[in-house]
Structures are given as structure tokens and as C-alpha cells.
Amino acid sequence: MDLTSPRTIRSIQEKFGFTFKKGLGQNFLTSQNVLEEIVDSAEIDSGVIEVGPGFGVLTSELAKNSDKVVTIEIDERLIDVLEYTLADYDNVKIVNADILKLDLHKLIQEEFGNEKVSIAANLPYYITTPIITKLLEEKLPLKNIVVMVQKEVALRMAAKPSSKDYGAITVLCQYYTEPSVVTNVPASLFVPPPKVDSAVLRLKIRENPAVHVTDEKMFFRVVKAAFSQRRKTLLNCLCSNFSFPKEEMSTLLEGIGITPSRRGETLSLQEFADISDAITQKTKQR
Ligand code: SAM
């Protein structure tokens, strides 16, 4: 069964009386080349988890290239469809659940033991950031995350300091992973076509975070504060989020070589780490 063919998609729709739900981000991929690029860049050792299989176009490609695929689909109507389209593969487990509510530590432990797994997905765009945030913040035993996302989102995750795309999500991604854009994908390669262009993003999980910090929670508090009001200076953003007098915060920043009038979006990960460590130390002294 060629699941990349719009004709096959139509015939499955007719067989199961299936209509696309826009609210669930149901835009199905129809490019064999892009599927192969996703699978190759996921560098699967043996196990892979997929988010949102739809009719199973990527799932079947993953099944051909791994020992085991666990695929998580929220839409109950798709479970019967997947049992039909994936009938030839005995290494696929279909889980009917909301990825955002699932205990992924438990699932990985039960399905893959101690092995590191890759994540591969054509993500539902309405929840791209919450999914990626969950995958990273939960510190799961992952190797790579390779996901189709909105092009703008891919640019944001791979952005450099001082560019318009650089934000809190960039820092989160670059702290835990090395992001790169694998390929751009036009809207015309999906059925139905989404309103935006897409890109395949690869997040290669780092062995250790990109920078060393004494208190990770503080690091992400500083990042959030620095980006909380883009037009304000770093000094003002930090002062309104931490209970420090302006003078004291200004001295702290100057002490680590950071000009207080800079904007948050100009800071490198190392500079965020320096600020975080300085605030942690100052808080302890108080
Ligand atoms: N993998 C298929 C493909 O490439 O053609 C479908 C991708 S489609 C962009 C996104 C899929 O994610 C849909 O099947 C949708 O039902 C599913 N989905 C949406 N929200 C979800 C959630 N919270 N948890 C799991 N799956 C979800």
C-alpha cells in the first residue's frame, strides 16, 4: 500500500468514512523523499517513538528501518485505520493517547528497557512547542528528535543570538540539543496542504548540557525573565522578575562583564549561565 499517494489516502478515507480534523493538525505527508530524510536523520539504533501517525505513512517507513516502533495517536478514529494500514508490520505498537498527558519515562522503560530511543514525527503544529518542551524538560533517555514543524519554528530553534528568531525556546533547545534544519518542505507535499511551509528539524541530544550551571531552575528563570519584555533592557527585565534593587543587579551584571543596558535576545547561552550562577551565589549570601 503506497500511503504517500493522494489516491490511496482518498480510498482509505472512503473505506473508513474518515474526515480530517483541522483542530488536531491532520495534514498527511505525501513525499517518499522527505520520509526517507526523516528516517535517516533519526539515526535509529533499534527503538523509535512516533507522535501522531495519522494513516501510518511515516510509521511504516520507521517499521522498515528499526526493531520496534511505538506510535502515539490521540484520535480514536485512526486506531482501526492504523490496524489496517500497518497490518504487515509486527514490530509496531499503537498507543491511543494524548502525547502531552502520557508518562513517557514509564512508556520508554516498559517498551525499550534501558536503551536510548529516537523520536520521529510529523508533529501536529498546534502543540509543537509544548511537545518539544515536554520531550526536553523531562530528561528522557533520548538519542535524537527529528520532527516536521512549521518553518518559522525550525528557524527559531536553530537561531543565533541577536537574530529576530532567538527566544526562550531557542535557549531551551540549544541547552539540551544541537539543532539543525534537515530540509524545507513546501505545503503542497501534504494532504490537505497546511497554510504554512514546513521544515524537518533535527535535535541531536547532547551528552551534557551546552553550558554548566549550578542551578538549572535558576538558569531557566533567568532566560524567561530576560525574554519577558523584548523592548526592555536586561536590567529592567531581571529587576522586575527577581527581588533585587536596581543598583545591586547592575553591579552584579557589570561584575561578570555584561552591560546592563543590553537586551535579553543578545545573550549567548554562556552569558545566561554566568548571570544565573551570579544570582544563585548572591541569593545564598543574602
Ligand atoms: N504522521 C502522519 C503523516 O506524516 O502524514 C500524520 C501527521 S499529522 C501532521 C499529526 C498527527 O498527530 C495526526 O494524526 C493527529 O491526529 C495527531 N495528534 C494531534 N494531537 C495529538 C496529541 N496530543 N497526541 C498524539 N497525537 C496527536
Side-chain angles (χ1 to χ4, degrees), residues 3 9 18 21 23-30 35 38 50-59 71-78 82 95-101 120-127 131 148 189-191:
L3 293 168
I9 295 175
F18 182 87
K21 266 195 192 156
L24 287 179
Q26 293 179 337
N27 303 95
F28 295 176
L29 185 60
T30 61
L35 288 175
I38 295 175
E50 184 193 13
V51 182
F55 281 179
V57 69
L58 175 59
T59 327
T71 189
I72 300 150
E73 174 56 62
I74 197 172
D75 189 348
E76 213 181 343
R77 301 171 307 153
L78 284 168
L82 288 162
V95 178
N96 183 200
D98 178 346
I99 181 71
L100 294 177
K101 296 194 179 137
N122 172 11
L123 287 182
Y125 293 171
Y126 74 106
I127 44 169
I131 294 175
M148 178 87 71
L189 293 182
F190 297 84
V191 170

Side-chain angles (χ1 to χ4, degrees), residues 129 132-133 156-157 165 167-174 223 227:
T129 304
I132 292 180
T133 304
R156 231 182 285 154
M157 311 256 172
D165 296 320
I169 188 75
T170 317
V171 177
L172 176 75
C173 277
Q174 298 188 7
V223 173
F227 287 108

Side-chain angles (χ1 to χ4, degrees), residues 127-147:
I127 44 169
T128 302
T129 304
I131 294 175
I132 292 180
T133 304
K134 175 183 167 92
L135 295 175
L136 296 178
E137 283 185 345
E138 291 190 357
K139 299 181 192 296
L140 301 160
L142 300 181
K143 189 176 178 207
N144 280 309
I145 301 174
V146 179
V147 280

Side-chain angles (χ1 to χ4, degrees), residues 213-276:
V213 290
T214 45
D215 180 348
E216 215 167 69
K217 264 201 187 138
M218 177 63 84
F219 175 75
F220 286 111
R221 249 186 93 192
V222 169
V223 173
K224 205 170 154 207
F227 287 108
S228 58
Q229 283 157 296
R230 277 198 173 243
R231 289 211 193 129
K232 279 196 178 176
T233 63
L234 177 63
L235 178 65
N236 283 334
C237 285
L238 292 176
C239 284
S240 50
N241 282 275
F242 294 90
S243 48
F244 271 60
K246 247 189 182 163
E247 275 289 286
E248 213 176 307
M249 185 61 88
S250 191
T251 312
L252 179 147
L253 291 172
E254 278 161 358
I256 50 172
I258 294 174
T259 311
S261 59
R262 281 173 64 183
R263 311 274 149 172
E265 71 251 31
T266 66
L267 297 171
S268 67
L269 264 69
Q270 188 56 58
E271 289 174 318
F272 278 119
D274 293 344
I275 298 172
S276 158

